[in-house]
Each structure stands twice: as C-alpha cells, then as structure tokens.
C-alpha cells in the first residue's frame, strides 16, 4: 500500500529547543493529520489539515499542509519533557476513507 | 464525550485459539475503523464501517479475521486460529462522516500469540 516517508526517524534534543519533522507521500492527499503516541497507548490527534497551504497551530505545535499536497511538516517550539513520544503523520487520498501512516519520529527530550 | 474505548487492553493467547476484541466508538460517530500496528511501524488499515455496513476491507484482513458492527454502535474484531504473526496492537478509530471526517483512536488492544 501507500508508504509515507517520515523523517527524521528519531531525534534527541535539549529541553527548550525547537523541533521540526516532515512527511512526504508519492500521491496527492486531501487531508494530513499529525498524531502523538506514547508507549502502550493509541495515537492522539494533535493537528488536522484539510487544505493545501494551510498552516495550523495548537499551542506550541504548528503544522502545514504542503502546496503540492504531497507533504506536510510539524514544528514543536520550546520543547518540554512531556513532548517525549512517537509522532506520526497520516494522510488520506481523495475518495479514500482510510488513513495511511508514516513510520513515526521518536522524540526524546533531555531535561 | 468519553472517547473511543477498547477491551481488553491486553490479550495473551496460544497459537490456534480464537480471540475477540471490542471497540466502543465516540457516541455520535457513524464511522468506525480497525487498524493493526506492529512494533516500530505506523498503524495499517484493516477495515471500515459506516453505521452497520462494512464498506471496505484491506488485503491485510485475511479470511481468519472478521469484523462486525451489528447495530451501528460498538464493533467486534475476531481472529480465528491465531498465528504468531498476528501479534500486534489492534487499534480502533471513529469519526463523523463529512468534510472533516477526523479519526480519533482508542487505546488499543495488544495481542500476544505464544
């Protein structure tokens, strides 16, 4: 099936630093979503994007829907220890109902 | 709004046994999805319901897997004759059909097949 390329695979950062991660697909998506998952739990929705070029913030998180509709990025500003987890991008193709997920970015924040 | 719930949270079974998982979606959501997630990977789509109708199944859903949503509310996912390769986290998500159709996930059921 569709594979999303998510990078980086993992990040080790100092508390207070900003973080950036991105996701690219080989096909056009009409929806991009960013989720965070902690060990033993399901993905928790962070930000949803529905239009090309859309820039949306949720607190310290900002995500953008790429103009080409084949990519998206997520920024986290001023990271804190509770930002630790795995961040997944997910996208939906036009006419589809299911989501395709990236392989995740594992974030470690060093206090 | 109590969110999506799944039971059990963990299941350990022996190879060859049947297992059944339950998902209760967010109450007003008419769409329900099952995904499977293996270690180090993102979730992969298995199947999707709109109300009680199962509208889509992925190729990952072998004939040992069956899902139901009899009254358009909760759903069950059954795996017959489990194999070690079925060990994974099984995630349920729900959404409200429409332009946004944003999927909200439950906590998952972790299956271990010995």
């Amino acid at each position: 099936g569709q594979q999303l390329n998510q990078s980086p695979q993992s990040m080790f950062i100092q508390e207070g630093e900003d973080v950036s991660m991105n996701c690219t697909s080989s096909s056009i998506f009409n929806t991009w979503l960013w989720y965070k998952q902690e060990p033993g739990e399901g993905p928790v929705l962070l930000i949803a994007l529905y239009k090309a070029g859309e820039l949306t913030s949720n607190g310290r998180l900002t995500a953008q829907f790429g103009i080409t509709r084949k990519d998206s990025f997520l920024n986290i500003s001023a990271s804190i220890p509770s930002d630790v987890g795995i961040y997944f991008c997910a996208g939906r193709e036009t006419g589809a109902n299911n989501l395709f997920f990236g392989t995740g970015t594992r974030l470690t924040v060093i206090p | 709004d109590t969110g999506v719930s799944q039971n059990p949270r963990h299941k350990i079974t022996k190879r060859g046994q049947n297992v059944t998982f339950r998902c209760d979606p967010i109450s007003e959501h008419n769409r329900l999805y099952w995904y499977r997630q293996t270690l180090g990977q993102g979730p992969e789509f298995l199947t999707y319901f709109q109300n009680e109708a199962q509208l889509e199944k992925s190729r990952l859903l072998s004939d040992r897997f069956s899902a139901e949503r009899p009254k358009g509310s909760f759903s069950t996912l059954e795996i017959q004759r489990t194999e070690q390769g079925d060990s994974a986290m099984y995630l349920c998500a729900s959404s409200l059909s429409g332009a946004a159709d944003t999927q909200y996930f439950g906590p998952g059921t972790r299956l271990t097949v010995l």
Side-chain angles (χ1 to χ4, degrees):
Chain A
Q2 169 73 253
Q3 291 289 324
L4 300 189
N5 296 311
Q6 188 171 347
S7 65
Q9 215 171 5
S10 62
M11 302 182 75
F12 290 80
I13 61 167
Q14 293 284 340
E15 183 177 357
E17 288 184 352
D18 296 344
V19 171
S20 184
M21 59 191 79
N22 66 74
C23 205
T24 59
S25 71
S26 56
S27 58
I28 289 173
F29 283 168
N30 66 3
T31 301
W32 280 99
L33 304 168
W34 285 91
Y35 290 88
K36 179 186 176 188
Q37 188 173 29
E38 298 187 26
E41 299 297 328
V44 174
L45 181 67
L46 299 174
I47 293 181
L49 302 159
Y50 303 106
K51 289 184 183 178
E54 181 180 355
L55 185 71
T56 296
S57 292
N58 177 8
R60 294 178 295 106
L61 278 61
T62 301
Q64 185 158 28
F65 192 140
I67 295 287
T68 65
R69 298 171 65 190
K70 291 185 176 183
D71 61 349
S72 177
F73 73 76
L74 175 71
N75 284 345
I76 305 173
S77 62
S79 57
I80 59 178
S82 63
D83 290 334
V84 165
I86 303 177
Y87 291 79
F88 287 100
C89 61
R92 181 168 52 231
E93 295 174 317
T94 302
N97 296 295
N98 58 292
L99 296 174
F100 293 101
F101 279 80
T103 50
T105 295
R106 181 181 294 274
L107 179 64
T108 302
V109 179
I110 303 165
Chain B
D1 180 355
T2 58
V4 179
S5 61
Q6 291 186 245
N7 288 289
R9 293 293 309 276
H10 303 275
K11 178 71 177 177
I12 300 173
T13 191
K14 292 183 180 177
R15 192 173 50 188
Q17 298 294 304
N18 299 344
V19 294
T20 301
F21 310 140
R22 176 178 170 129
C23 171
D24 286 88
I26 293 171
S27 57
E28 65 269 24
H29 285 184
N30 58 343
R31 290 185 172 177
L32 187 148
Y33 308 78
W34 286 98
Y35 289 80
R36 182 174 71 184
Q37 185 178 25
T38 54
L39 209 58
Q41 301 296 319
E44 294 176 289
F45 171 72
L46 292 178
T47 189
Y48 142 70
F49 291 84
Q50 177 146 323
N51 300 313
E52 65 277 7
Q54 188 173 17
L55 297 185
E56 196 171 338
K57 298 184 202 180
S58 86
R59 286 172 292 177
L60 291 176
L61 208 69
S62 78
D63 55 8
R64 296 183 298 103
F65 287 65
S66 62
E68 294 183 342
R69 195 184 183 198
K71 297 181 180 177
S73 56
F74 73 91
S75 175
T76 57
L77 177 68
E78 181 183 16
I79 308 174
Q80 295 182 324
R81 305 181 304 281
T82 52
E83 301 173 357
Q84 287 184 324
D86 296 332
S87 295
M89 174 82 93
Y90 289 85
L91 293 162
C92 175
S94 71
S95 71
L96 190 60
S97 59
D101 194 12
T102 304
Q103 295 180 26
Y104 295 88
F105 282 81
T109 295
R110 176 159 302 282
L111 173 66
T112 303
V113 182
L114 302 176

